[in-house]
Amino acid sequence: METTLRGVGVSHGVAIGEVRHMGTAVLEPPAKQITADEAEREQGRARQAVEAVSADLIARGQLAGGEAQHVLEAQAMIATDPELMADVDRRIAVGSTAERGVYDAFASYRDLLAGAGEYMAGRVADLDDVRNRIVARLLGVPMPGVPDSDEPYVLIARDLAPADTALLDPALVLGFVTEEGGPTSHSAILARALGVPAIVALPGAGEIAEGTLIAVDGSTGDLFVDPTPEKRAELEGAAAERRAALSASSGPGATSDGHKVPLLANVGGPADVPAAVEAGAEGVGLFRTEFLFLDDSRKAPSEEKQIESYRKVLEAFPEGRVVVRVLDAGADKPLDFLTPADEPNPALGVRGLRSLLDHPDVLRTQLTALAKASEGLPVHLEVMAPMVADRTDAKAFADACREAGLQAKFGAMVEIPSAALRARSILREVEFLSLGTNDLAQYAFAADRQVGAVSRLQDPWQPALLDLIAMSADAAKAEGKSCGVCGEAASDPLLACVLTGLGVTSLSMGAASIPYVRATLAKHTLAQCERAAAAARACDTAEEARAAAQGVLSGE
């Protein structure tokens, strides 16, 4: 009998296949004691296992490339953290085996992170995965992971570690469903990059029996257990229509009546550029520069290294627009040389622009490197600051850009509700706004973007979030300036129409989403988008807002 479950759809497309569950195993080693003369050998075993796991994560990242590479390299840094390794050595010195020392040291660090506030939950999940990989290697057992199968299947897991998600084979894994996670979790972001249909935050999915036929709609978040032949035909027909629309869509982003909406790509480094170019991106709306700084958390990269990396991206978009976000460190991206180690709540502390203003030499070097990287290129460079709270922040960043001799537009990200509320004031200091909807939702609703239990408050269809976006867009229009969206909200084709109706002037997303958004925008007029936006804002819940917008755009 067909039943329907509802989670959060995070990656477009339909997948129909039999269920396979992620492998699980108990990886807690026995509390066995060793003698003092065995300690040095056990410490050596622990170091070898840590180095092997770190090398494996880096290798997986290099194979995957793009966003996955940055995530996995950050995990490799966790594995080799000096403080963690010192704790492992101490525990072995007083009698623990290598595997038990690793397990207990990671458990202690895990407790510290958990106590630092829920914002760190994403790092806790990554920490657990690294610990399991090291312990599995020491115990000589296989690491639980993606099942072996010769036939395509739909994967169900409690959650997926970045190391697993990054190397999923789309030819075998038709789609995946997780019980935990959220629309902005690592798994969701990597699923979109892979183009694999996916649903997250669906409690109870793990109870679906192995081998059960299910259908996953990554656009709506619906999961159909034992779908009828009629339902399968309906879903397959809808998927075929989407594919036809994608193949027929090309060129710049625009509504059906010619209102231009530039479609830009979010990139994390040079490795992401080919996919963006292939998808027809009109430029880059969010160039995350953290990848350069994560190579060594103890010091900033040299100006020369930064120039080389920035120029590779800038050269890929001649005559195009490239919006660079300066270093966004802190919270879940701590750097030893930049961010405080003892903040009670890092998400509400010294992160983003706040860190850079405390270390003006780091900001000056990055801005100078960007200025030099753009010399002689016909690119339209724009540089923006993360975590701008008010006009004072905006002025400090604008002054730093001028002092560095940067010949570019400079702007502010709207990620804090105060920035949306006072957007017009901020725009008197900078030339554009860019809405980071992931963090804007997190701070507006006090809802950690990595915690599945509050994922409904991370839904970008929340009317209160739409209100904040509208405020920012209205302020930009009043000042004669631009206001784009570079958060994950822009990757939803239906929501892209609503954002256009709210007055957003450009949309930036993962490259895989660009064809879907382009095709959907091309089917609707600007007036329809404006009516859909008004209908969504008149609602009280995210579900009602989506349904109302869908009704307007479908002519119901």
Side-chain angles (χ1 to χ4, degrees), residues 88 104 128 147 226 233 275 278 309 333 391 404 473:
V88 171
D104 289 340
D128 288 347
D226 292 321
E278 184 179 350
S309 293
K333 292 171 285 189
R391 184 173 180 174

Side-chain angles (χ1 to χ4, degrees), residues 49-93:
V50 165
E51 289 166 3
V53 166
S54 176
D56 177 62
L57 289 168
I58 290 171
R60 284 170 178 256
Q62 290 172 341
L63 281 172
E67 183 73 32
Q69 183 171 359
H70 312 142
V71 172
L72 294 179
E73 286 175 351
Q75 273 200 297
M77 286 176 60
I78 293 174
T80 55
D81 182 274
E83 289 187 19
L84 260 175
M85 284 310 303
D87 192 15
V88 171
D89 283 343
R90 282 193 296 270
R91 292 172 187 275
I92 293 173

